[in-house]
Amino acid sequence: MKDSRVSGEKIAVNVARIHDFYAKRAVEKGGIHVDAPVVLCGDKAPEKIIAWTDYEVSERLPLLELTGNSRVLELGFGTGRITKHILETAAHYVGVDYVEDFVALAKGREDIRRTEHTHFLCGSFEDLAEGRLELPQGVWFDRFVIAGGVMMYINDDVLKKCLAKLPALLAPSAILYISEPITMEKRLTLNQFYSDELAAEYSAIYRTREEYDRLFAPLYAAEFQMVRSEEFFAEDIKQRQETKQWLFLLRRD
């Protein structure tokens, strides 16, 4: 396909097709490990899937400093891969995902502890930012989580708008945990690119650290500080040549 793999240039991805891709993956989850990050859905080695989550839970989630009083907002929770572990500690939780079948799957998982303060909502980052979702009244979230990649599927104009409105949802003291694949050199866009590994057309924007730093300007203006910007894994489980999983940890005290 023409322009299916674009390096350096800024182009928009078809977000409707990305949603369709995820909706199809949700239906197919019966044949895929329930906790597989999308990049490993086509992987034939389940030990990589287990290793990803084990590492995240043991080495990365402690950075959230969760307590029983933490009020967590997770964007793009998918099948509840990390949700399950967040809810082992935090009683107040709202998860947002834009695939209805993922929402239903997470609600039905018996291994996810739920309380009256646990809510799974169907919607996008834009729905959340624009106030189109019914959030618990009077809750300012003190933890914001993206575990594995959400911003890579959002075009720049919409992402800028959403990040500008995010601070209004957050408490005066809050931690933001954002895990995204990035490119180490030039911006890379896959635009309906056929992936042999996923056996499907796949679209995503791999931005550089510098691009994310500029996109986070509204967070810095709201007095958040970047306390960690580093490669996510000690040993790269994904083993991609051009991209790395990255961790951005921001906080406001």
Side-chain angles (χ1 to χ4, degrees):
M1 176 181 292
K2 184 180 179 181
D3 295 330
S4 64
R5 193 177 189 283
V6 179
S7 180
E9 184 181 347
K10 287 188 179 182
I11 65 167
V13 293
N14 188 319
V15 294
R17 284 184 177 269
I18 294 172
H19 177 273
D20 291 346
F21 167 83
Y22 272 104
K24 186 172 184 290
R25 302 308 283 189
V27 172
E28 294 174 346
K29 267 295 179 181
I32 303 171
H33 193 295
V34 69
D35 284 336
V38 67
V39 74
L40 297 181
C41 280
D43 205 294
K44 306 305 180 186
E47 62 270 17
K48 287 187 180 180
I49 295 167
I50 296 168
W52 178 304
T53 301
D54 284 352
Y55 182 85
E56 186 158 18
V57 171
S58 64
E59 302 297 329
R60 292 308 193 181
L61 280 191
L63 297 173
L64 275 170
E65 301 176 16
L66 292 173
T67 71
N69 294 319
S70 296
R71 302 179 300 281
V72 181
L73 175 61
E74 184 181 10
L75 181 63
F77 62 81
T79 61
R81 180 181 68 88
I82 290 299
T83 307
K84 174 175 62 177
H85 300 282
I86 290 172
L87 282 171
E88 288 176 357
T89 302
H92 297 262
Y93 172 91
V94 173
V96 176
D97 199 284
Y98 73 167
V99 177
E100 289 184 8
D101 284 337
F102 279 157
V103 176
L105 191 157
K107 285 182 176 180
R109 288 186 64 164
E110 295 182 357
D111 58 344
I112 292 182
R113 181 180 73 91
R114 297 180 63 185
T115 73
E116 61 181 317
H117 303 297
T118 305
H119 307 275
F120 294 102
L121 307 179
C122 188
S124 65
F125 196 2
E126 191 172 17
D127 291 330
L128 177 67
E130 295 294 340
R132 294 194 287 261
L133 299 181
E134 189 173 344
L135 299 175
Q137 291 296 313
V139 174
W140 272 4
F141 298 99
D142 56 18
R143 303 292 187 273
F144 176 77
V145 177
I146 292 177
V150 169
M151 297 181 184
M152 64 191 295
Y153 305 120
I154 305 175
N155 288 311
D156 285 26
D157 56 343
V158 174
L159 184 55
K160 287 177 183 177
K161 179 175 64 175
C162 293
L163 287 171
K165 295 191 175 185
L166 180 60
L169 296 172
L170 303 174
S173 178
I175 297 175
L176 280 60
Y177 172 106
I178 300 170
S179 170
E180 288 282 337
I182 68 167
T183 179
M184 303 306 293
E185 297 182 3
K186 293 186 295 184
R187 178 188 180 107
L188 173 65
T189 305
L190 302 183
N191 186 33
Q192 297 171 234
F193 178 83
Y194 187 82
S195 165
D196 290 327
E197 185 177 349
L198 295 172
E201 286 186 352
Y202 182 67
S203 298
I205 301 169
Y206 298 90
R207 299 178 176 93
T208 64
R209 286 176 292 172
E210 292 76 17
E211 284 181 287
Y212 274 113
D213 196 51
R214 291 192 291 272
L215 285 166
F216 292 151
L219 303 178
Y220 301 143
E223 300 185 349
F224 280 93
Q225 294 185 333
M226 182 74 70
V227 293
R228 285 183 184 246
S229 175
E230 62 193 27
E231 189 170 348
F232 189 85
F233 296 109
E235 297 182 7
D236 189 359
I237 292 172
K238 289 168 59 178
Q239 296 180 341
R240 296 293 190 267
Q241 292 183 346
E242 296 175 281
T243 63
K244 295 286 186 183
Q245 193 72 20
W246 209 257
L247 175 70
F248 301 102
L249 192 77
L250 300 94
R251 70 184 301 153
R252 177 172 67 186
D253 296 314

